[in-house]
Amino acid sequence: MFESWGVLAIVIICPLLGGLPLIEWITYALKRKRLSQVGTRNISVSAAFYHGGKFVGILAVLSEAFKGVAAVLLTRAFFPDGSSWELVALIALVIGRYWIGRGAGTTNVVWGFVVHDPLVAMFVSFFAGISFTILQSRKVVKFGVLLLFPVFVAILHFSDIPRILLAVALASLMGWIYRQIPDDMKLPAQEAQTESQAMLEFLRGDVYDGLRQRTMVSLDEELDAAIVGEKAATLSQIKRWGYPVPKGWVLAPIDNPELLTFLQPSELSPLVVRSSAIGEDSERASAAGQYQTVLNVTSVEGLQQAIAQVQASYNHPSAIQYRRDRGSNDTAMAVLIQQQVQSVFSGVAFSRDPITQQGDAIIIEALPGSATQVVSGKVTPEQYRAFVIETKNSYSVQLEGQGRVPQALIKQVAYLAYRLEKRYHGTPQDIEWSYDGQTLWVLQSRPITTLLPIWTRKIAAEVIPGVIHPLTWSINRPLTCGVWGEFFTLVLGDRVLGLDFTETASLHYSRAYFNASLLGDIFLRMGLPPESLEFLTRGAKLSKPSLQSTWKNLPGLGKLLKRELSLEKDFKEDYYKLFIPGLSQLAQENADNLDISKLLARIDFILELLHRGTYYSILAPLSAALRQAIFRVKDRQIDHSVTPEIAALRSLSAIATDAKQILAEFEPQQVFEQLKQTPEGEKILQEFNELLQDYGYLSEVGTDISVPTWRENPQMIQQMFVQLMQGNEPQAGAKDAINSIFASKRKRGFVQKRVDIKGRVTEVYSRLLAELRWSFLALEKIWLESGLLKKTGDIFFLEFDEVRRLVVGEDSNLNELVEFRRSQFLQDSEIIQVPLLVYGNTPPHPLAPSEVYSDQILQGIGASHGQAEGRVKVLRNLQDVPEINRDTILVVPYTDSGWAPFLLRAGGLIAEAGGRLSHGAIVAREYGIPAVMDVHGATWLLQDGQRVRIDGSRGIVELSNDLRPE
């Protein structure tokens, strides 16, 4: 029994002891620095030396030594001295040190082993000291010790099998941890506390896995930008991707130039010496032209001088001022030495136009000879614009511009720029290149800092489409960004430091955009590919995540998985305890009868419900999409009948069928008057009004409270009802598809549950938004009567904080601001083609679309199977709906719930935004209509009357030059 208590003590106390952040407390108490927020964010002995200095480091050693000794002594209180349980205690201590305390536990194990088995500790220390003296490689010694100490345990205790196995387990655990956490010794020694620098430089040994005193680091190796700078690290990455990069070597800030004795530059084999400063060529600062580059180095003496020249340029006054202007810290300068390319043609390429800040044009500047002529600004280069059109199996390049440089080479450069931008997840690249007559060499690639961050309309165009009023945005943005921030914080924990989730979305041209740069950073921190969001919501191709990073995020991802698994239970609980009572309360009171203070309280109540509703409106679709992808359930096997717009259409179709039996002949303009003339017709009208009452909360744009609901504007549903009576019913293929859905219900049940929840969430969320709209309309009515507002709709040009201040009597004169915003809104509404991507925080006015396209095929996302051929009808809004029939291929900017009634009348659908789970795709599959989503620029590339053929399986739109009137 006593030993059982000992096991319990080891399992509980030792992990907690390991996780006790003594080093963090010591460093903060003496230096006011939080190790969890600086450097590698490790809470380790080496971090204490680095950020706190010798005294803090010594105290850190003593504190961690105390833990190791305490764990062993605790075990001895229950078990005999030297028992195997002492190794179990050390393993438990290390686990706590890593999972809770963010450290490796090396010091704990060393001192714990000194007490546990002094003889083994002595032998291991002896061999480690000799090895480090000879090899000068800390990494070799660190992992070598992990191999040695189990061997010594086995030699000295060959008959104690449990002890040997536990020693192997402890060594394996330590080795695994070493591979998971960043190494504090890889931080620049120059940034460490002054009294620790010499010791850290000695202990670092060779940070590049080689022998620092005898070899140079080359671009063939994986390099760390924190040590060798972004330029060298980027070139090493590009080289390992398989692109031609001139052979090169890197002299790190701590390296001795004498390492370069093996380089023998000559007239026939010249070298170029380039800067690779820490922070240069990064997303924050390009540092273009700030540091020295020396060409045509042809002697050993010249090489030494060139290195000194480049290093000295780091401290040039203009370079220092540049760093200060951008808030960059002074760090260090690595030097990059490369074989110099004998250039026939050279230049630079921008994967995006840095001037217009939009469009797909690749800008190339080129000249015969060296690339330095182009970047120096002393010679005017030839300029070209190129467009790369890539299909599934091939690509083509369209070129604008002519000159002495061969067009075939410029096209090759354009495709190189296009591919490198894709490699860097869409971040625009500034590329320096050179051609020696045989090979196109990459000399440099760095982000175009003026084009960051990148804002994308993908996803945003469907979540909150169209032109957005200030009131809508002031409510939607904090709700959406706040909930996304909760999810990301759940996974990342302390690693969210430095991330501003309020920057997740923004308005450009009065349209919603998501911050692709921020989302990419977040997903990389989560160990997921930066395109993960598009994969989950739109079916985009997903690259492989980093296994190491994903493993590090497993605890957080586990928490997120737990939320996903409990989604059904949590939503049911909130549905009956929160949403149903809340919606009932709202339905029972008439907003038009409330005074201003009660209306504001009503609005606050709705916003509380919406915050919880937003959580489900994000998690439910992601859960459904993820499950569908994992279990490979096809779109046509899913039943979306719970989705409000689908349910409304089914009910409307059934009522229209009954009405046709009553009115064998009717005038389309007089249907409702004719139905009033018979009791059966009155019953039909009653059913229609009940449907309108049930689904009156839906609108053209379900997430925009400024858009009238069906209840306020029933003409659209009335028109749809008449057209259904005229015979535009679902095709036979659609009914077969529906039967297929129900036939395969058992197979898809795991996914179907999430789709049903998504439908319920949509209903709740849409109802809450409708109630919110009607509350603001009641408030506006009061202010219009009092003269506080001048025109109907003015309230939607105020932000919610301004509405709140008006309620309490502040800012009573906002009419000039409202008029300005109304004018800006109308101006933005006239922009027909809004860019899919926006670069930088102040994008210019959208350019006219380019006419450069290579062929007659547009690529999108296949969202509803089948093929259709017909004439295009571009429908940019629902204000003026034309006649639509089976020969109509409807082209729309997006598809929200309000568009659904018109889709079933068309022969096919093309949408600029949306994915397989968008409203349009769901309705199209429901009624057997081929659909292609995410066709960039469709509403301006395609013209009314143009004949097209669409393939909803492959996501292809084939164009025709036939523009005869319909």
Side-chain angles (χ1 to χ4, degrees):
M1 185 65 182
F2 186 68
E3 290 185 350
S4 299
W5 283 107
V7 173
L8 191 63
I10 290 172
V11 172
I12 295 176
I13 297 176
C14 288
L16 295 176
L17 181 64
L20 200 63
L22 296 179
I23 298 177
E24 173 99 359
W25 295 342
I26 291 169
T27 309
Y28 183 74
L30 297 179
K31 293 292 184 178
R32 314 309 291 178
K33 289 184 179 180
R34 294 193 181 277
L35 295 182
S36 58
Q37 299 177 10
V38 296
T40 61
R41 297 184 173 86
N42 290 344
I43 303 175
S44 64
V45 169
S46 53
F49 272 108
Y50 188 93
H51 298 288
K54 277 187 180 180
F55 182 65
V56 171
I58 291 170
L59 291 179
V61 170
L62 294 175
S63 69
E64 294 307 302
F66 161 76
K67 290 182 183 180
V69 172
V72 173
L73 295 180
L74 172 68
T75 308
R76 291 184 177 180
F78 299 93
F79 299 96
D81 293 0
S83 74
S84 299
W85 285 104
E86 293 176 9
L87 290 179
V88 175
L90 289 177
I91 290 173
L93 185 74
V94 169
I95 290 173
R97 186 76 179 86
Y98 173 68
W99 288 106
I100 305 173
R102 292 212 301 269
T106 304
T107 307
N108 307 134
V109 172
V110 167
W111 288 96
F113 232 92
V114 166
V115 178
H116 167 70
D117 197 329
L119 195 58
V120 170
M122 182 183 69
F123 277 120
V124 172
S125 301
F126 177 73
F127 278 95
I130 292 177
S131 300
F132 186 75
T133 303
I134 296 173
L135 298 177
Q136 285 288 298
S137 175
R138 188 176 54 85
K139 187 171 183 179
V140 171
V141 173
K142 182 169 68 174
F143 284 95
V145 165
L146 296 180
L147 293 174
L148 279 176
F149 94 76
V151 171
F152 283 121
V153 169
I155 293 172
L156 296 175
H157 307 281
F158 63 90
S159 61
D160 193 343
I161 302 301
R163 181 183 295 207
I164 296 171
L165 293 177
L166 287 168
V168 171
L170 179 58
S172 301
L173 175 63
M174 297 288 293
W176 179 82
I177 290 175
Y178 286 155
R179 297 183 66 85
Q180 305 310 308
I181 64 175
D183 191 346
D184 295 290
M185 291 298 178
K186 287 189 175 183
L187 294 171
Q190 291 86 344
E191 293 185 32
Q193 291 290 309
T194 305
E195 68 266 26
S196 301
Q197 288 182 5
M199 179 192 67
L200 290 170
E201 288 185 4
F202 172 74
L203 289 177
R204 282 166 67 113
D206 179 22
V207 294
Y208 295 110
D209 308 334
L211 305 180
R212 185 168 73 87
Q213 297 300 326
R214 289 150 49 182
T215 65
M216 273 291 292
V217 179
S218 80
L219 292 181
D220 296 319
E221 303 176 49
E222 183 177 354
L223 303 181
D224 187 346
I227 298 170
V228 300
E230 292 282 352
K231 183 182 292 181
T234 299
L235 286 176
S236 76
Q237 177 68 78
I238 292 173
K239 189 175 179 67
R240 284 180 288 111
W241 281 338
Y243 294 93
V245 173
K247 191 169 181 62
W249 303 266
V250 183
L251 192 68
I254 63 171
D255 284 335
N256 190 332
E258 293 178 2
L259 293 172
L260 300 170
T261 52
F262 70 96
L263 293 176
Q264 297 295 322
S266 65
E267 295 286 347
L268 296 176
S269 182
L271 298 175
V272 56
V273 181
R274 312 171 66 190
S275 66
S276 185
I278 314 300
E280 180 185 3
D281 287 354
S282 66
E283 292 191 0
R284 291 188 59 191
S286 67
Q290 296 299 319
Y291 307 123
Q292 189 78 32
T293 295
V294 181
L295 300 171
N296 296 310
V297 177
T298 58
S299 67
V300 174
E301 295 78 12
L303 179 60
Q304 299 293 334
Q305 293 174 4
I307 291 171
Q309 229 177 311
V310 171
Q311 289 174 330
S313 68
Y314 188 79
N315 295 314
H316 191 276
S318 62
I320 294 172
Q321 189 61 46
Y322 176 87
R323 294 195 295 271
R324 287 177 181 170
D325 292 343
R326 280 149 188 80
S328 302
N329 296 326
D330 289 336
T331 51
M333 169 76 81
V335 178
L336 175 61
I337 301 100
Q338 289 180 276
Q339 290 180 343
Q340 184 165 316
V341 176
Q342 302 303 311
S343 305
V344 177
F345 299 103
S346 298
V348 295
F350 297 96
S351 64
R352 299 277 164 169
D353 191 334
I355 307 302
T356 64
Q357 298 186 23
Q358 56 190 284
D360 297 324
I362 296 168
I363 308 301
I364 300 169
E365 296 183 343
L367 272 178
S370 169
T372 55
Q373 298 178 89
V374 178
V375 297
S376 69
K378 297 178 181 178
V379 180
T380 302
E382 299 170 3
Q383 295 196 8
Y384 303 86
R385 284 167 57 88
F387 298 84
V388 175
I389 298 93
E390 189 172 39
T391 57
K392 189 172 183 179
N393 299 315
S394 63
Y395 77 93
S396 60
V397 181
Q398 294 293 315
L399 199 60
E400 295 178 0
Q402 292 184 339
R404 292 171 291 172
V405 182
Q407 289 209 347
L409 175 60
I410 296 299
K411 289 183 177 181
Q412 192 178 350
V413 171
Y415 190 62
L416 170 69
Y418 174 82
R419 293 302 303 170
L420 282 178
E421 181 183 286
K422 291 192 75 171
R423 278 284 192 175
Y424 285 104
H425 310 297
T427 300
Q429 296 293 303
D430 170 2
I431 299 153
E432 191 176 320
W433 58 272
S434 189
Y435 179 68
D436 63 3
Q438 292 183 324
T439 303
L440 175 61
W441 298 94
V442 180
L443 305 182
Q444 178 176 299
S445 186
R446 63 188 176 200
I448 305 177
T449 53
T450 57
L451 298 186
L452 297 176
I454 305 170
W455 301 91
T456 176
R457 279 282 286 159
K458 287 186 176 181
I459 311 167
E462 187 179 346
V463 173
I464 181 166
V467 191
I468 300 171
H469 288 76
L471 181 58
T472 298
W473 187 243
S474 68
I475 289 171
N476 283 30
R477 184 190 188 195
L479 282 173
T480 304
C481 295
V483 172
W484 274 116
E486 290 176 20
F487 284 132
F488 295 141
T489 303
L490 182 70
V491 176
L492 291 172
D494 290 344
R495 279 166 293 135
V496 299
L497 292 172
L499 297 176
D500 185 358
F501 296 119
T502 63
E503 297 300 317
T504 306
S506 184
L507 283 186
H508 299 293
Y509 318 119
S510 296
R511 272 87 167 182
Y513 283 82
F514 283 161
N515 189 332
S517 301
L518 176 60
L519 289 175
D521 185 12
I522 291 170
F523 285 133
L524 286 174
R525 292 191 189 195
M526 291 171 64
L528 301 172
E531 68 272 18
S532 298
L533 186 61
E534 289 187 41
F535 162 73
L536 289 172
T537 57
R538 304 164 57 79
K541 187 177 180 182
L542 188 67
S543 62
K544 292 182 180 179
S546 164
L547 182 60
Q548 181 177 352
S549 182
T550 303
W551 182 263
K552 186 167 68 172
N553 285 284
L554 272 182
L557 292 172
K559 294 177 184 177
L560 190 60
L561 177 61
K562 185 178 179 182
R563 294 279 186 95
E564 194 278 338
L565 293 174
S566 65
L567 174 63
E568 184 175 7
K569 179 180 70 69
D570 293 342
F571 178 69
K572 281 184 178 179
E573 184 176 341
D574 283 340
Y575 186 75
Y576 291 108
K577 292 184 178 180
L578 190 67
F579 296 128
I580 293 299
L583 286 168
S584 298
Q585 176 184 330
L586 293 169
Q588 289 170 8
E589 62 182 14
N590 188 345
D592 291 331
N593 297 332
L594 301 178
D595 59 27
I596 290 179
S597 61
K598 289 183 178 179
L599 280 171
L600 185 59
R602 175 186 171 93
I603 289 169
D604 286 335
F605 174 67
I606 296 172
L607 289 177
E608 287 180 16
L609 294 175
L610 274 172
H611 183 271
R612 190 60 179 166
T614 303
Y615 168 83
Y616 291 115
S617 73
I618 290 175
L619 185 57
L622 293 184
S623 173
L626 186 60
R627 289 190 174 207
Q628 184 180 355
I630 291 173
F631 295 101
R632 298 184 179 180
V633 175
K634 295 181 179 180
D635 298 325
R636 63 177 178 270
Q637 294 177 305
I638 298 175
D639 178 18
H640 291 278
S641 59
V642 177
T643 304
E645 57 264 35
I646 297 296
L649 287 177
R650 286 187 176 183
S651 298
L652 190 67
S653 180
I655 297 172
T657 300
D658 292 341
K660 284 173 63 176
Q661 295 176 356
I662 296 171
L663 296 178
E665 295 182 2
F666 58 88
E667 287 293 327
Q669 305 300 324
Q670 303 295 322
V671 166
F672 287 89
E673 285 74 12
Q674 289 180 262
L675 286 171
K676 289 179 182 178
Q677 296 173 8
T678 64
E680 294 83 358
E682 287 283 356
K683 184 179 179 182
I684 294 294
L685 291 178
Q686 182 180 349
E687 291 177 359
F688 179 86
N689 290 330
E690 287 175 357
L691 181 145
L692 193 59
Q693 184 67 27
D694 289 341
Y695 297 100
Y697 59 86
L698 295 174
S699 70
E700 175 187 337
V701 183
T703 52
D704 191 345
I705 61 172
S706 67
V707 178
T709 60
W710 288 1
R711 189 179 83 175
E712 301 166 61
N713 184 23
Q715 291 87 351
M716 183 171 60
I717 304 304
Q718 292 171 349
Q719 183 183 0
M720 171 54 49
F721 177 73
V722 173
Q723 289 170 345
L724 285 171
M725 288 184 63
Q726 289 176 309
N728 292 330
E729 296 187 47
Q731 302 176 39
K735 294 176 181 177
D736 293 339
I738 293 173
N739 292 333
S740 165
I741 289 172
F742 288 101
S744 60
K745 189 172 183 178
R746 292 181 181 177
K747 298 180 181 179
R748 62 182 174 79
F750 203 60
V751 177
Q752 186 63 52
K753 288 182 179 179
R754 287 298 183 263
V755 175
D756 291 344
I757 291 174
K758 177 189 171 189
R760 293 294 181 201
V761 169
T762 301
E763 177 190 357
V764 168
Y765 203 71
S766 299
R767 286 184 182 276
L768 287 172
L769 286 175
E771 294 289 353
L772 187 65
R773 168 180 166 79
W774 297 330
S775 301
F776 278 116
L777 288 178
L779 196 58
E780 182 185 56
K781 182 180 178 182
I782 295 173
W783 285 340
L784 286 171
E785 291 173 353
S786 67
L788 198 58
L789 295 178
K790 303 299 182 185
K791 300 178 185 176
T792 300
D794 275 359
I795 196 168
F796 295 108
F797 291 101
L798 296 172
E799 294 181 358
F800 183 52
D801 284 344
E802 294 164 348
V803 171
R804 191 181 293 279
R805 290 200 297 270
L806 273 180
V807 170
V808 298
E810 300 176 14
D811 296 336
S812 58
N813 188 12
L814 290 172
N815 287 303
E816 288 186 9
L817 180 61
V818 167
E819 283 303 314
F820 171 78
R821 288 175 178 169
R822 185 186 289 273
S823 173
Q824 184 66 51
F825 182 85
L826 293 174
Q827 181 181 332
D828 289 341
S829 301
E830 293 173 359
I831 301 174
I832 296 175
Q833 180 54 34
V834 179
L836 180 67
L837 297 175
V838 163
Y839 298 92
N841 288 314
T842 54
H845 192 81
L847 295 173
S850 171
E851 298 299 326
V852 180
Y853 288 91
S854 64
D855 49 37
Q856 299 297 300
I857 294 179
L858 300 178
Q859 181 73 51
I861 295 175
S864 181
H865 296 294
Q867 297 179 341
E869 186 171 349
R871 293 194 179 275
V872 164
K873 191 64 185 179
V874 178
L875 190 60
R876 294 192 175 92
N877 56 61
L878 297 180
Q879 304 307 313
D880 184 21
V881 180
E883 277 299 317
I884 298 171
N885 55 45
R886 291 299 177 197
D887 190 50
T888 302
I889 304 297
L890 199 59
V891 181
V892 299
Y894 57 87
T895 53
D896 207 286
S897 54
W899 300 81
F902 302 98
L903 302 183
L904 63 87
R905 295 150 52 191
L909 171 68
I910 301 170
E912 287 188 323
R916 294 186 179 95
L917 296 181
S918 62
H919 296 278
I922 293 171
V923 174
R925 288 194 297 272
E926 177 81 6
Y927 291 100
I929 302 166
V932 181
M933 319 301 288
D934 196 34
V935 181
H936 179 37
T939 59
W940 51 267
L941 280 175
L942 301 173
Q943 303 175 45
D944 283 349
Q946 183 175 11
R947 199 152 194 87
V948 298
R949 179 181 177 83
I950 68 173
D951 187 327
S953 303
R954 296 187 297 156
I956 295 292
V957 179
E958 298 179 57
L959 312 186
S960 169
N961 292 322
D962 182 359
L963 290 173
R964 295 191 306 273
E966 297 183 62

